[in-house]
Amino acid sequence: QQQVKQSPQSLIVQKGGISIINCAYENTAFDYFPWYQQFPGKGPALLIAIRPDVSEKKEGRFTISFNKSAKQFSLHIMDSQPGDSATYFCAAGGQTGANNLFFGTGTRLTVIP
Amino acid sequence: DTGVSQNPRHKITKRGQNVTFRCDPISEHNRLYWYRQTLGQGPEFLTYFQNEAQLEKSRLLSDRFSAERPKGSFSTLEIQRTEQGDSAMYLCASVGFAGTYEQYFGPGTRLTVT
């Protein structure tokens, strides 16, 4: 059973536009929600993360919106740039024994110049 | 470089051979995770160490897989009698102190079983 569902699978955005990726989770024990950026042949890099005590977190052009009652969270990339073209993974974890992360299936973002 | 390092970066092996990967976590990070990532999917948890103790294993970790972290520093992941289905990227992540959640990943080891 997929613990974290992510959409869309792929996304094409014009330079300067807003990229939005959505995730939903099942386990209410999760209390940590990071987003990772991965380039081909590289390991995932931690981009931004949120805990459920806040509904939004912003770091530079990246914003996480979190809806605890709906068990959903999303990543917004403002002023998207060609260098943002990568695969983005949402994840959830915490309070689950090993505190390991459960990842979504990824969104391949392409930003067109 | 003070990040997580993994070696080798790529490994091609024939079915039935044994392979071993190494992970060096960020210095003084006491928690270490192994994940497996197949093409087009997110990483999946394999196992977890706190210092030298292996505290949890996923059901994905069959009997052919074994992991160690002998001195609470670097870790090794061995796969015996490799199968084509073992072809994947094997990722290591380290976490700092109790109460922190941030997992920092290494570059991974890409395994291809022919």
Side-chain angles (χ1 to χ4, degrees):
Chain A
Q1 181 185 0
Q2 189 76 26
Q3 297 255 16
V4 179
K5 295 181 180 178
Q6 182 172 348
S7 63
Q9 190 173 6
S10 63
L11 182 61
I12 299 174
V13 173
Q14 293 274 1
K15 179 183 174 182
I18 303 173
S19 304
I20 302 174
I21 305 171
N22 300 299
C23 283
Y25 63 97
E26 292 294 325
N27 191 338
T28 54
F30 291 148
D31 66 351
Y32 173 68
F33 304 91
W35 285 89
Y36 283 83
Q37 179 190 58
Q38 187 174 31
F39 293 103
K42 306 291 185 183
L46 180 62
L47 200 57
I48 185 172
I50 197 167
R51 301 293 298 275
D53 52 342
V54 295
S55 60
E56 187 175 281
K57 183 174 181 180
K58 183 176 180 180
E59 290 184 0
R61 296 185 295 111
F62 301 92
T63 299
I64 299 179
S65 296
F66 184 79
N67 185 329
K68 187 174 180 178
S69 61
K71 294 190 289 185
Q72 294 176 345
F73 58 111
S74 60
L75 176 69
H76 296 230
I77 305 174
M78 312 299 287
D79 186 26
S80 299
Q81 299 296 312
D84 296 331
S85 297
T87 299
Y88 292 81
F89 292 94
C90 62
Q95 303 299 325
T96 56
N99 289 334
N100 57 286
L101 294 174
F102 295 87
F103 283 83
T105 50
T107 297
R108 178 174 285 188
L109 172 65
T110 303
V111 181
I112 302 172
Chain B
D1 188 343
T2 56
V4 179
S5 62
Q6 292 187 248
N7 288 288
R9 294 294 311 279
H10 303 274
K11 179 70 177 180
I12 300 174
T13 191
K14 293 184 177 180
R15 188 176 55 186
Q17 297 295 305
N18 300 343
V19 294
T20 300
F21 313 138
R22 176 177 169 132
C23 169
D24 287 87
I26 295 170
S27 179
E28 298 182 358
H29 275 197
N30 61 1
R31 282 184 282 157
L32 186 149
Y33 294 80
W34 285 98
Y35 290 83
R36 181 176 72 184
Q37 185 178 25
T38 54
L39 208 59
Q41 299 297 316
E44 294 176 291
F45 168 70
L46 292 178
T47 191
Y48 152 64
F49 289 85
Q50 181 157 320
N51 299 312
E52 67 275 10
Q54 187 175 18
L55 295 185
E56 190 156 327
K57 292 190 272 189
S58 158
R59 64 173 182 266
L60 291 176
L61 210 69
S62 76
D63 291 344
R64 296 184 297 104
F65 288 68
S66 62
E68 292 183 341
R69 194 181 183 197
K71 296 183 180 179
S73 56
F74 72 92
S75 177
T76 58
L77 178 67
E78 180 182 17
I79 309 175
Q80 296 183 327
R81 305 181 304 281
T82 52
E83 301 172 357
Q84 287 189 318
D86 296 331
S87 296
M89 174 81 89
Y90 289 84
L91 293 161
C92 173
S94 74
V95 181
F97 307 104
T100 62
Y101 287 94
E102 291 81 7
Q103 295 196 17
Y104 297 96
F105 283 83
T109 294
R110 167 73 65 190
L111 173 66
T112 302
V113 181
T114 62

